Amino acid sequence: MKHIRNFCIIAHIDHGKSTLADRLLEYTHTVQITDGQILDDMDLERERGITIKSHAIQMEYETAGKEYILNLIDTPGHVDFSYEVSRSIAACEGALLVVDATQGVQAQTISNLYMALEHDLEIIPVINKIDMPSAMPDEVEDEIVELLGCDRKDILRASGKTGEGVEEVLNAIVNRIPHPVGDVNAPLQALIFDSVYNSFRGIIAYFKVVNGSIKKGDKVKFFNTGMEYDADDVGILKMDMIPRKELTTGEVGYIISGIKDAKEVKVGDTITHVAKPCLKAIAGFQEVKPMVFAGVYPIDPNDYENLRNSLEKLQLNDASLTFFPESSIALGFGFRCGFLGLLHMEIIQERLDREFNMEVITTVPNVSYMVYDKQGESREVHNPSGLPDVTMIDHIEEPYIKATIITDVNYIGPIMTLCLDKRGELVKQEFISGNRVELYFMIPLGEIVIDFYDKLKSISKGYASFDYHIDSFKPSKLAKLDILLNGEPVDALSTLTHQDNAVTLGRKMCEKLKELIPRQQFDIAIQAAIGAKIVARETIKCVRKDVTAKCYGGDVSRKRKLLEKQKKGKKRMKQIGNVEVPQKAFLAVLKLD
């Protein structure tokens, strides 16, 4: 146990965590590096150049004549995948805090750092990308000293690209990160921090042994679900899974016990022996809180059960996804899914398509609101169609977030304008170092859900970094905006929005839908309504044949007769025709400026 080190790499998005992890693997001869990221093995990760999943891998390193086992967990940097980071931190004793030498400390760096400090991890600051021409290691060092209060000599400089400074990083891991502590002779306690689904072997759970030891063939039980299994296979994680006869305290590995049902494995659960169980589960795991809700419906209604199975398998691999069944008049049966953000929602949709061949329609995303009725009772509403009648509502409260934005001084003006337009309130601003400033805002979560992050990046030329956490619920004047097609409400397009923005939003939605809905044989009226009041209208003209073309010369009444006949036909068609809303229309509503 003295020779084991468990550590993770945390940083802001795009600061070079995965590249540095590759260099560590190469230096310890764990793998031969070829082109592309080794740990980011999902197609989506490679295409987008982001880490979506945490990746655990074991390395062996020899220094001063001693052999050490290093368990590395590479984590995502995007705010939408922060739950992956919190789970990885729970399985470690130390963390490498990687900061880009060209960009300095950014919002997600601070957020992940606080998460690591809450778990009492040993922090090793590393300045990465020092080989870049635009690197400013001295200024970045000042920022880290101010942030951590550490000595300058504790900060390491490295380059994931050239491999410079990698040996110093490995030595710091061995010398500065404490070894795991635990009792080898105590009853088994192992924390599950991740799981994946394998169609041949069932569910594979990744765990860290906190106390005791686990052998192949042991009878084990999962503490929270109370289910019992045989440990068919246990082992360690390198590039592939390597079987072992036994894993003892402090080690990180996997267990295969032929579990087929996704509900039986919960991330954060404790594994223990059936014969000699531990008294209590390992504490300190927070339940995930979804921020954004959207309906996910199969395009073919017969795929409902397949969609349920696909979501369950995805949930194993991504514990921050939550879902429960719901139905819609326009789309039939589906699920209301909770995501951590818009990128998370986009990734889940892509993974459903690629990994499970599920074609789905996603409705307009929204956040959850607290609705208080006249009797003083409250309930949480995730979906605008779940709102009680207007006459029954006393008031509605919406969630507010505390947002931290770190930016260059030159962009303060446009960023303030953006936040104030989104009904934000400036709490305070602090100058960090040089010409960088940290702004704190209170903003309604519903305002940042759709396009806030994209706009922030574009007005700050990519410099501003953004992080947030839920603060509280506050009363707000909200209105339910319905979209009607030929008088029929499309519940998938209805949204809850602030009264001041409702009319403008309604107008924009009608204009956008007019562009996207294909023309039919009859006129389509698109209306936006707040309650019974219509606030905007657009009409899609019908595609029509020129019935008067064959009528040349003669009396005007002959033409009118033909037109009247056509008009009757169109009217009859309108009664039986239904309007198809393409998936593009649902998505375009998100991109409304």
Side-chain angles (χ1 to χ4, degrees), residues 161-177:
K161 194 170 172 187
T162 62
E164 186 185 336
V166 169
E167 192 176 354
E168 287 79 25
V169 172
L170 283 165
N171 288 331
I173 291 165
V174 168
N175 299 326
R176 282 157 62 178
I177 291 178

Side-chain angles (χ1 to χ4, degrees), residues 250-490:
E251 292 196 274
V252 171
Y254 69 88
I255 178 170
I256 299 175
S257 43
I259 307 170
K260 286 283 186 273
D261 188 356
K263 293 192 189 79
E264 294 175 23
V265 178
K266 284 206 163 35
V267 166
D269 203 347
T270 303
I271 304 174
T272 186
H273 281 131
V274 173
K276 190 181 164 192
C278 58
L279 298 174
K280 60 179 202 294
I282 301 163
F285 228 96
Q286 304 154 334
E287 272 295 303
V288 61
K289 270 197 183 147
M291 305 284 185
V292 176
F293 294 89
V296 174
Y297 294 85
I299 286 178
D300 178 1
N302 299 331
D303 284 342
Y304 177 73
E305 279 305 320
N306 294 348
L307 179 60
R308 183 198 294 274
N309 294 337
S310 306
L311 284 169
E312 281 177 359
K313 286 171 187 170
L314 255 186
Q315 197 177 30
L316 277 177
N317 198 242
D318 184 346
S320 49
L321 169 70
T322 57
F323 64 92
F324 44 89
E326 73 163 6
S327 62
S328 140
I329 306 163
L331 301 169
F333 291 102
F335 295 93
R336 173 117 312 227
C337 297
F339 307 97
L340 293 184
L342 272 194
L343 177 70
H344 187 212
M345 174 175 133
E346 212 177 301
I347 295 290
I348 292 287
Q349 208 176 334
E350 280 271 315
R351 286 182 69 183
L352 280 172
D353 183 26
R354 291 186 188 200
E355 294 172 29
F356 303 100
N357 293 325
M358 289 300 311
E359 287 191 10
V360 294
I361 287 178
T362 314
T363 64
V364 181
N366 57 306
V367 299
S368 53
Y369 298 92
M370 292 301 286
V371 178
Y372 291 83
D373 59 20
K374 297 273 169 71
Q375 282 76 38
E377 289 181 11
S378 67
R379 64 188 241 207
E380 201 170 347
V381 174
H382 302 305
N383 190 349
S385 60
L387 272 183
D389 193 61
V390 187
T391 52
M392 306 292 291
I393 299 173
D394 182 52
H395 68 280
I396 303 177
E397 292 189 351
E398 62 176 336
Y400 270 69
I401 57 159
K402 216 174 209 161
T404 311
I405 298 171
I406 297 180
T407 177
D408 199 282
V409 175
N410 305 329
Y411 306 117
I412 290 183
I415 287 174
M416 288 239 188
T417 312
L418 172 70
C419 293
L420 296 174
D421 285 351
K422 298 280 186 189
R423 300 191 283 130
E425 299 162 22
L426 179 66
V427 180
K428 62 174 179 177
Q429 66 180 58
E430 291 175 356
F431 284 86
I432 307 174
S433 64
N435 59 346
R436 299 187 57 204
V437 66
E438 190 168 4
L439 305 168
Y440 295 92
F441 282 96
M442 291 288 282
I443 308 178
L445 179 61
E447 294 283 345
I448 69 152
V449 159
I450 291 180
D451 56 356
F452 179 81
Y453 194 65
D454 299 347
K455 281 186 179 170
L456 179 71
K457 281 291 180 196
S458 56
I459 60 176
S460 66
K461 299 191 171 54
Y463 274 109
S465 62
F466 171 67
D467 181 48
Y468 64 88
H469 58 264
I470 287 283
D471 185 70
S472 57
F473 279 80
K474 293 186 181 178
S476 184
K477 287 184 180 173
L478 295 166
K480 183 185 173 196
L481 182 73
D482 287 313
I483 299 292
L484 314 173
L485 295 179
N486 282 342
E488 289 291 318
V490 182

Side-chain angles (χ1 to χ4, degrees), residues 5-294:
R5 301 286 183 273
N6 298 321
F7 70 101
C8 58
I9 302 184
I10 53 175
H12 188 81
I13 187 168
D14 231 10
H15 280 203
K17 299 174 294 302
S18 300
T19 315
L20 187 64
D22 284 356
R23 284 298 140 300
L24 296 174
L25 296 178
E26 188 178 37
Y27 199 88
T28 53
H29 308 296
T30 309
V31 284
Q32 287 295 311
I33 299 288
T34 52
D35 288 340
Q37 300 283 0
I38 285 288
L39 291 176
D40 292 352
D41 50 6
M42 207 189 292
D43 296 347
L44 269 174
E45 292 182 318
R46 300 248 167 125
E47 279 167 31
R48 292 174 177 242
I50 56 174
T51 305
I52 294 170
K53 281 293 302 158
S54 301
H55 299 273
I57 189 163
Q58 190 178 94
M59 305 180 281
E60 282 156 14
Y61 179 59
E62 192 176 329
T63 177
K66 288 180 186 169
E67 278 276 344
Y68 289 93
I69 289 174
L70 312 179
N71 289 312
L72 151 71
I73 303 177
D74 176 33
T75 62
H78 197 282
V79 66
D80 277 13
F81 303 113
S82 54
Y83 190 60
E84 290 284 324
V85 184
S86 75
R87 302 208 316 258
S88 309
I89 284 173
C92 295
E93 280 82 36
L96 292 185
L97 182 75
V98 177
V99 182
D100 188 333
T102 62
Q103 294 184 322
V105 171
Q106 293 194 293
Q108 202 56 33
T109 317
I110 297 172
S111 168
N112 287 339
L113 169 69
Y114 287 154
M115 220 187 291
L117 290 173
E118 275 171 30
H119 283 77
D120 295 333
L121 298 199
E122 177 64 39
I123 308 289
I124 300 176
V126 179
I127 298 178
N128 193 19
K129 303 191 188 181
I130 56 166
D131 58 310
M132 301 277 279
S134 55
M136 346 163 261
D138 295 337
E139 287 93 324
V140 175
E141 216 168 73
D142 293 341
E143 288 179 23
I144 294 175
V145 168
E146 203 167 311
L147 180 67
L148 282 174
C150 60
D151 287 344
R152 280 182 181 277
K153 63 177 189 301
D154 292 342
I155 301 171
L156 305 175
R157 295 187 181 189
S159 162
K161 194 170 172 187
T162 62
E164 186 185 336
V166 169
E167 192 176 354
E168 287 79 25
V169 172
L170 283 165
N171 288 331
I173 291 165
V174 168
N175 299 326
R176 282 157 62 178
I177 291 178
H179 61 79
V181 288
D183 183 355
V184 184
N185 303 315
L188 169 69
Q189 269 186 317
L191 173 75
I192 300 177
F193 64 87
D194 206 353
S195 55
V196 290
Y197 182 80
N198 182 311
S199 46
F200 300 107
R201 310 203 64 181
I203 291 158
I204 303 168
Y206 297 160
F207 63 87
K208 175 197 175 187
V209 185
V210 178
N211 287 314
S213 63
I214 181 169
K215 293 188 181 73
K216 184 178 174 175
D218 279 354
K219 246 193 141 21
V220 295
K221 83 165 180 182
F222 288 16
F223 205 89
N224 288 346
T225 57
M227 307 293 281
E228 298 183 0
Y229 309 100
D230 291 321
D232 300 337
D233 194 3
V234 294
I236 56 168
L237 299 156
K238 289 207 169 177
M239 278 319 284
D240 298 311
M241 294 186 281
I242 297 171
R244 287 275 188 272
K245 287 205 173 106
E246 182 180 27
L247 292 179
T248 61
T249 307
E251 292 196 274
V252 171
Y254 69 88
I255 178 170
I256 299 175
S257 43
I259 307 170
K260 286 283 186 273
D261 188 356
K263 293 192 189 79
E264 294 175 23
V265 178
K266 284 206 163 35
V267 166
D269 203 347
T270 303
I271 304 174
T272 186
H273 281 131
V274 173
K276 190 181 164 192
C278 58
L279 298 174
K280 60 179 202 294
I282 301 163
F285 228 96
Q286 304 154 334
E287 272 295 303
V288 61
K289 270 197 183 147
M291 305 284 185
V292 176
F293 294 89

